[in-house]
């Protein structure tokens, strides 16, 4: 197997400061890619309201240390002019974008779980949509024209969950389902191009913030299982990172267009492991512990999304 299957590829990971974004950026780097890492927290200039110590430069340095080439750029993806300038810069410097990962989130502190929608804050919901949906749309709008001339390209929407089920909060549910739907809609509009759009979810993520919340480190994470038994099935951010790297290296990735895929499912398919050599599987854990089937958004679930009236009445849309 080629240890650097993405050598020569150019990736843009929007939202690469920490968590899944950092895991994805570093694993793309480990596969040999040049990775533009963007976000708002850089050394000496943290994002407004940020309460985390991680900065973009650390991610880019890890990308390089693992064998790729990491480039850290401060970009506020809610500001279209900054995103347009970013994509113009990559076009000028590299001439291409092969992989786009939309991982911008930044809403953990404002997600109102367990609060009924009639008591939730519309202002917080607006912020969630601006940060976690609009940013993805803006970034795709400006990155895709750079990607279209290439023979192959991949757009990955990072979400939470691989089902269409309720996620515990109306605003949170809408945001996470919105990016799943965005991947589907983009795939319909890209179906006559060489680009593939899809969504990917990690499982129970051992992000920096989650470890801190439980008062543990990556070395001692099992100590948190006493507080949260489901944490035994958790995974590092590198696991979903390896999932994205495997998708980017797959010459047949177009067969997965439009759908949402899980880190654990892709691990079984492509044969990669987490950093400790294990293959955490959230679905198997769920079924074993809760004695209920784990329902996913499979082909049957997506069937009603296909061949909608507009695709029959206006099959030529979009007009390229």
């Amino acid at each position: 197997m080629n240890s650097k299957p993405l050598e020569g590829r150019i990736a843009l990971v929007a939202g690469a400061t920490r968590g899944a974004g950092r895991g994805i950026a570093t694993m793309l780097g480990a596969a040999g890619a040049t990775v533009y890492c963007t976000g708002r927290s850089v050394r000496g200039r943290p994002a407004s309201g940020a309460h985390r110590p991680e900065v973009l430069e650390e991610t880019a340095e890890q990308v390089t240390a693992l064998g790729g080439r990491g480039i850290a750029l401060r970009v506020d993806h809610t500001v279209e002019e900054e995103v347009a300038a970013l994509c113009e810069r990559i076009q000028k410097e590299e001439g291409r974008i092969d992989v786009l990962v939309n991982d911008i989130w930044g809403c953990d502190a404002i997600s109102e779980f367990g609060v009924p929608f009639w008591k939730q804050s519309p202002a917080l919901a607006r912020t969630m949509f601006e940060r976690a949906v609009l940013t993805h749309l803006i970034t795709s709008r400006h990155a895709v024209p750079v990607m279209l001339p290439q023979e192959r390209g991949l757009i990955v929407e990072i979400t939470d969950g691989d089902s269409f089920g309720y996620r515990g909060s109306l605003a949170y549910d809408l945001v996470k389902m919105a990016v799943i739907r965005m991947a589907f809609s983009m795939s319909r509009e890209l179906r006559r191009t060489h680009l593939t759009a899809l969504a990917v979810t990690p499982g129970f993520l051992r992000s920096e913030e989650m470890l801190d919340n439980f008062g543990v480190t990556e070395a001692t994470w099992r100590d948190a299982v006493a507080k949260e038994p489901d944490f035994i099935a958790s995974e590092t951010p590198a696991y979903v990172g390896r999932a994205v790297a495997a998708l980017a290296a797959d010459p047949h990735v177009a067969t997965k267009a439009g759908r949402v895929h899980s880190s654990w499912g892709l691990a079984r398919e492509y044969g990669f492991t987490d950093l400790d050599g294990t293959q955490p599987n959230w679905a198997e854990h769920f079924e074993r512990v809760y004695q209920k089937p784990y329902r996913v958004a499979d082909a049957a679930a997506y069937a009603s999304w296909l061949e909608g009236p507009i695709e029959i009445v206006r099959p030529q849309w979009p007009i390229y």
Side-chain angles (χ1 to χ4, degrees), residues 161-165 259-260 262 264 283 287 293-302:
D162 59 343
S163 78
F164 294 159
R259 297 268 295 275
V260 58
S262 67
W264 59 92
E287 291 185 338
Y294 183 87
R295 304 190 187 282
V296 301
D298 56 13
Y302 273 94

Side-chain angles (χ1 to χ4, degrees), residues 235-252:
E235 62 191 59
T236 75
Y239 200 45
V240 71
R242 287 177 170 175
V244 173
L247 289 167
D250 184 355
H252 306 295

